[in-house]
Amino acid sequence: MEKKLFTSESVTSGHPDKICDRLSDAILDAILTHDKDARVACETTVTTGLVLVMGEITTTTYVDIQEIVRNTVAKIGYNRGKFGFDAENLAVLVSINSQSPDIAMGVDEYDGHEQGAGDQGLMFGFACDETENFMPLPIELAHQLVRRLDDVRNSNLVDFLRPDGKSQVSVEYDEFDRPLRVDSVVVSSQHADIPIETVRDAIKKHVIDAVIPRHLVDENTKYYINPTGKFVVGGPKGDSGLTGRKIIVDTYGGYSRHGGGAFSGKDPSKVDRSASYMARYIAKNIVASGVASKCEVQLAYAIGVAQPVSIRIDTFNTAKVSDDLIIETVRKHFRLTPKGIIESLDLKRPIYEQTANYGHMGRSDIDLPWERLDKVAFFKELL
């Protein structure tokens, strides 16, 4: 019988697309620090020696975008000219306009009009009981690998690794969709111009063996470490980057559906971001309560309209009560308007740069409001 495999990937903080996500969120955080009501839709693109910051921002404050860009690039680790992209010698171009008044009219709160969604769209949240943080195992392991890759480089435990890198993990599942074992692991890291076997040995010892649990590995587990061989040219010199191109890395590794909207660089009036966080919050509390072992939540909105146009719960036949009863509980105990989401999760704060790497969901290393389990009791009452 064919094995049931599922694969997810993640990328390091020095991946070109992730540089852009982090720059966009660093700019957002700087603005929210002084103007919590700012409207920000900031996108960034990078290539060899160049950063372009663009988008629509309406704010009462001023931030030095040039300085934010250079400081953030330096923190990521691009600090040498030979990388083809370094903080001190970048050309930083800025093209920013204010938010369209046509959009602002639907989002602003005024007499007789509650704050509406900043755009139409559909957002998904997901949780399952495969891991302690209620994330699918493949994306959880993929995130741990790239985090470890960054840690090994930043601590200088291995002094020849460079900022760009990726991971990929394939997990085998049984007939009941429970994870059995890790079938394959892929790790690719940019490195200095040294023999590839030295790179492979170090990554296997200090990254893979330090992350992948031994009980999930067997004699048939396959390892692909820098499978093409040499990976010296990387980062924005090797490939351009753009904000919002790693939306599956940011969420559930493809294990759950995605509405298509990116997160980074958007203030919380954009439901692409805030409603996705709320959907995760709902799904996680449902699974943590024991009502279901797997749950996907969909919220959909129309521009300028406060209430969602639809709410959908899918527990994949794992629920101990009806999905209708779960939805009824969600409507009763969660505020699902844009204003309600922002206030419930306290989203008008500079908390976003820290989410740009290693995923926005399932984070136990940082305090994120949509990861709280303070609504579990409401669902336990259904049992």
Side-chain angles (χ1 to χ4, degrees):
M1 187 176 75
E2 183 74 17
K3 292 187 291 188
K4 294 176 65 177
L5 301 177
F6 194 88
T7 304
S8 294
E9 72 159 351
S10 189
V11 298
T12 64
S13 61
H15 184 281
D17 294 329
K18 273 294 151 203
I19 296 171
C20 296
D21 286 344
R22 186 163 173 183
L23 290 173
S24 294
D25 275 336
I27 293 166
L28 171 64
D29 277 0
I31 293 171
L32 290 178
T33 298
H34 303 287
D35 179 11
K36 63 183 180 65
D37 296 317
R39 298 284 166 73
V40 181
C42 176
E43 297 189 36
T44 307
T45 187
V46 297
T47 188
T48 306
L50 174 66
V51 174
L52 171 60
V53 180
M54 54 196 166
E56 295 79 44
I57 297 176
T58 300
T59 181
T60 58
T61 192
Y62 167 81
V63 297
D64 189 335
I65 290 178
Q66 292 260 351
E67 182 180 25
I68 293 168
V69 167
R70 296 185 193 281
N71 288 344
T72 305
V73 169
K75 284 190 290 184
I76 292 170
Y78 287 103
N79 51 19
R80 296 176 62 187
K82 68 181 298 182
F83 294 166
F85 190 80
D86 74 294
E88 291 186 2
N89 298 299
L90 288 174
V92 181
L93 305 181
V94 180
S95 180
I96 298 292
N97 297 304
S98 59
Q99 184 181 60
S100 161
D102 296 341
I103 295 175
M105 181 173 58
V107 181
D108 289 342
E109 191 170 15
Y110 49 87
D111 289 345
H113 184 270
E114 184 178 349
Q115 178 179 342
D119 199 353
Q120 70 176 50
L122 48 142
M123 299 82 204
F124 289 93
F126 181 80
C128 62
D129 61 2
E130 290 180 16
T131 58
E132 289 185 0
N133 57 357
F134 302 95
M135 291 290 286
L137 184 60
I139 188 65
E140 176 64 17
L141 292 177
H143 284 325
Q144 289 182 24
L145 286 168
V146 293
R147 179 193 294 277
R148 178 65 181 172
L149 203 54
D150 277 341
D151 289 345
V152 165
R153 172 177 60 87
N154 290 328
S155 67
N156 219 32
L157 179 63
V158 176
D159 63 5
F160 49 76
L161 296 182
R162 302 292 182 255
D164 196 359
K166 303 177 90 170
S167 70
Q168 186 171 286
V169 179
S170 300
V171 173
E172 181 180 350
Y173 287 79
D174 65 17
E175 65 270 28
F176 304 107
D177 272 342
R178 308 305 299 179
L180 286 174
R181 55 182 288 274
V182 171
D183 188 72
S184 67
V185 178
V186 184
V187 176
S188 296
S189 178
Q190 184 186 9
H191 57 85
D193 195 359
I194 62 172
I196 187 60
E197 288 310 318
T198 303
V199 177
R200 286 173 173 160
D201 290 346
I203 290 175
K204 178 65 165 60
K205 176 182 178 181
H206 295 295
V207 178
I208 295 174
D209 290 349
V211 167
I212 304 298
R214 292 184 182 276
H215 71 277
L216 294 176
V217 173
D218 58 29
E219 68 276 6
N220 295 315
T221 299
K222 300 174 285 293
Y223 302 98
Y224 303 96
I225 304 171
N226 281 35
T228 61
K230 189 175 178 181
F231 184 6
V232 173
V233 178
K237 185 177 181 180
D239 189 13
S240 60
L242 181 66
T243 299
R245 265 204 311 219
K246 287 291 176 282
I247 58 175
I248 301 303
V249 171
D250 286 343
T251 51
Y252 309 99
Y255 201 95
S256 171
R257 282 169 279 204
H258 198 294
F263 301 156
S264 291
K266 296 177 181 177
D267 76 84
S269 73
K270 280 73 172 174
V271 284
D272 278 341
R273 179 166 223 159
S274 54
S276 294
Y277 293 160
M278 177 56 81
R280 162 65 179 176
Y281 182 39
I282 295 167
K284 184 176 180 180
N285 277 268
I286 290 170
V287 173
S289 73
V291 165
S293 59
K294 187 184 295 186
C295 181
E296 182 182 76
V297 177
Q298 185 197 46
L299 303 174
Y301 293 84
I303 188 169
V305 179
Q307 292 290 342
V309 296
S310 72
I311 305 169
R312 184 176 186 272
I313 301 285
D314 190 346
T315 54
F316 307 93
N317 297 315
T318 69
K320 299 173 182 176
V321 299
S322 72
D323 288 353
D324 286 344
L325 190 57
I326 296 173
I327 291 179
E328 183 181 320
T329 305
V330 168
R331 288 185 181 276
K332 184 176 180 181
H333 296 289
F334 292 85
R335 300 170 62 195
L336 300 179
T337 64
K339 182 179 180 180
I341 293 171
I342 290 168
E343 291 180 350
S344 298
L345 300 180
D346 193 13
L347 296 180
K348 290 186 176 183
R349 298 179 290 140
I351 59 173
Y352 299 107
E353 183 184 351
Q354 61 185 344
T355 67
N357 301 126
Y358 322 125
H360 293 242
M361 315 301 177
R363 298 291 294 275
S364 56
D365 58 312
I366 51 180
D367 182 21
L368 297 175
W370 52 91
E371 293 297 320
R372 294 194 309 252
L373 291 174
D374 54 356
K375 302 283 190 180
V376 167
F378 297 122
F379 295 106
K380 282 189 173 181
E381 291 175 358
L382 303 179
L383 297 173

